[in-house]
Amino acid sequence: MSGALDTLARRIQDAKRLTILTGAGVSAASGVPTFRGPAGLWRHHRAEDLATPEAFANNPLLVWEWYGWRREVILACRPNPAHDVIAEWSLRPGCQVLTQNVDDLHVRAGTRSLARIHGSIWELSCWEQCERGATPWRDESVPFATLPPRCPHCGGLARPAVIWFGESLRSDDLRAAFRATACDVFIAVGTSAVVYPAAGLVHEARGGGAFTVEINPEATPASAAVDLAIHTAAEVALPLVASLMKRP
Ligand code: ZN
């Protein structure tokens, strides 16, 4: 593994443009509940069944109770060493960070040039799609004064400003993400790079000549499609790479 970490350290050092795509694996060590596995269960509901427009239309109170629980858990979470290293690298000119995580732990770690392509659990937008409520607003209340929370503009139902299953990314986020694939080194970390849009981004980056890297504890079908696959947890691998870069 040390050879692979060394290779990555040198590649990052030489890169003028570095893009990092992060997913749930980066936040796992901070204690953020994942959607899969036993932690994905809440009151016998599967996360995949709650994070959809259909579930919200059916029972907005239930979905908001679940989000209220997630917000409470995430509020107590702290950025881990993976967030810290990414925040440090983000200060370099030419570095861009794309995240699928809605927890804002990258924000709390001080990350620059960050695109939160799946939105933020700390932001709300209008479910009724009124004009002013289409722009997400920040609300960090835990718990909310009233549940479900309301749109301050039209009084209709508010929703979490996150991308649910079955929804498309916002077009400006998608454009920004694909622009960021024009880079020298593209690292997908803590995300199985098989799901949309990660897979497409890795493919695009590689097609454009980037050195592509996957950092994930387990091999994924994308491992074969990248130049370098490192099967280690993000909070272990990234600090090691950072320390190798500091070596003369
Ligand atoms: Zn509204």
Side-chain angles (χ1 to χ4, degrees), residues 18-207:
L18 166 67
T19 297
I20 306 167
L21 169 71
T22 75
V26 169
S27 288
S30 292
V32 173
T34 60
F35 272 24
R36 294 185 177 80
L41 276 182
W42 173 81
R43 290 194 206 162
H44 308 294
H45 294 278
R46 292 190 318 150
E48 289 97 325
D49 296 335
L50 292 167
T52 67
E54 294 76 22
F56 191 82
N58 246 343
N59 194 341
L61 184 60
L62 177 74
V63 172
W64 265 120
E65 282 174 342
W66 179 59
Y67 274 97
W69 169 75
R70 288 177 61 81
R71 286 161 60 103
E72 197 179 323
V73 173
I74 290 170
L75 187 65
C77 295
R78 296 282 168 269
N80 67 58
H83 294 108
D84 294 337
V85 169
I86 292 168
E88 189 188 320
W89 291 349
S90 77
L91 305 179
R92 297 162 42 125
C95 179
Q96 302 214 56
V97 182
L98 311 170
T99 188
Q100 300 172 333
N101 298 339
V102 301
D103 52 46
D104 275 6
L105 289 179
H106 284 302
V107 177
R108 281 159 69 183
T111 309
R112 305 257 185 94
S113 304
L114 173 70
R116 299 167 303 168
I117 60 175
H118 284 181
S120 166
I121 200 167
W122 301 109
E123 293 177 7
L124 279 59
S125 61
C126 182
W127 169 252
E128 318 288 348
Q129 299 178 334
C130 74
E131 203 180 326
R132 290 171 69 197
T135 305
W137 65 90
R138 203 158 180 90
D139 185 333
E140 298 182 10
S141 353
V142 174
F144 286 106
T146 55
L147 216 61
R150 296 269 159 192
C151 170
H153 307 296
C154 72
L157 272 177
R159 60 165 283 173
V162 300
I163 305 296
W164 280 330
F165 293 103
E167 291 186 313
S168 319
L169 299 198
R170 290 160 162 266
S171 54
D172 44 347
D173 285 334
L174 197 59
R175 273 194 298 273
F178 274 94
R179 266 200 307 273
T181 60
C183 61
D184 304 307
V185 176
F186 186 96
I187 309 173
V189 51
T191 172
S192 106
V194 282
V195 288
Y196 177 86
L201 295 172
V202 171
H203 183 79
E204 190 80 7
R206 199 172 189 199

Side-chain angles (χ1 to χ4, degrees), residues 5-20:
L5 296 178
D6 215 35
T7 301
L8 177 55
R10 281 185 287 108
R11 287 284 184 165
I12 295 175
Q13 270 170 330
D14 294 344
K16 287 195 174 67
R17 293 165 304 169
L18 166 67
T19 297
I20 306 167

